[in-house]
Amino acid sequence: MNLTKRPRRLRDHEALRAMVQETRVDAADLIQPLFAVHGTNIKREIPKLPGQYHFSVDRLAEEVKELQSLGIRAVLIFGLPEIKDAAASQAFSDEGIVQQAVRAIRSQVPEMLVMTDVCLCQYTDHGHCGMVAGDQILNDESLSVLAKTALSHAKAGAHVVAPSDMMDGRVAAIRETLDAHGFQQVSIMSYSVKYASAFYGPFRQAVASAPQFGDRKTYQMDPANRLEALRESALDIEEGADMLMVKPALAYLDIIREVKNKFSLPLGAYHVSGEYAMVKAAVAAELLDHDKIMVEILTSIKRAGADVILTYFAKDMARLLQQKGQ
């Protein structure tokens, strides 16, 4: 048999494989989530998220400087308040934990892009992402609180606010409020496609944000739905989002590709806590090779269409890339 077409020719040498590689993950593609807590001199590993930590504000800058030295250029800040209440008052306080963290990073690591998660679940005593009445999560009544929260983050110095609550109309409410207060330059990365996923478990333990009643299925999306992701993305673009996001990532690679094909805005994908923790557990059980599976997963997310990846693997991946001289 005379084979004139042999795809294996381009796989015959390591340099040739690298030359024709279609998808590459760079450190600049990665966003590292960070967890800020009240107190001093705290760097406490999160039990369900090995390699991830709660940081007091005075310890954040050293971590961010290390991330920067590895080539990571953006962080996403989550906060754990000392006090939770029905009004989520610590979410929009000028002295809230996220606000303090943003100011510290901006002053000590000015080159780092600072993004903030805008949600209420960590700050409410009921653990839902909006205001409640009885067993109902109130949509319209939540919008002003979310907008106040985003505004407080912008005042503290956030470059990008990222609403993750999944209330209808929240992007428009945040954009209007930011613009009215002179923060036209602050970008919105919308969690436009956020599914009601079982992969969030370790995160909810890390920030003590599990709902105290019911679940989040009345506002987060049904994992079975594809077309709804396109409708949600289109609405957020219409309301003023600058970037879109799909969350989770690994179980929703098809959705990442659908959104990327349909819309021209930059697209993020959040490789979430459960996806990360599964790998760490499998590696601890000696079932998987840590670096190989990490690279394969992050490459698959980038290949699916994500422009940026929010991942707890950001530091590990950036360190590996640096070791390889990439």
Side-chain angles (χ1 to χ4, degrees), residues 259-288:
V259 173
K260 185 63 177 177
N261 285 347
K262 181 73 173 178
F263 304 106
S264 60
L265 287 190
L267 177 61
Y270 201 142
H271 181 241
V272 300
S273 61
E275 296 170 323
Y276 170 87
M278 287 194 307
V279 172
K280 290 293 186 178
V283 170
E286 300 183 344
L287 297 174
L288 296 174

Side-chain angles (χ1 to χ4, degrees), residues 166 169-172 190-193 221 226-246 258-260 262-265 267:
M166 289 300 286
R170 90 273 201 203
V171 172
S190 173
Y191 287 66
S192 48
V193 182
M221 290 172 52
R226 177 181 63 87
L227 296 177
E228 186 180 8
L230 303 180
R231 294 196 296 269
E232 285 279 8
S233 297
L235 282 170
D236 284 359
I237 293 171
E238 184 180 328
E239 292 179 19
D242 300 289
M243 294 177 276
L244 304 175
M245 188 198 302
V246 174
E258 291 262 13
V259 173
K260 185 63 177 177
K262 181 73 173 178
F263 304 106
S264 60
L265 287 190
L267 177 61

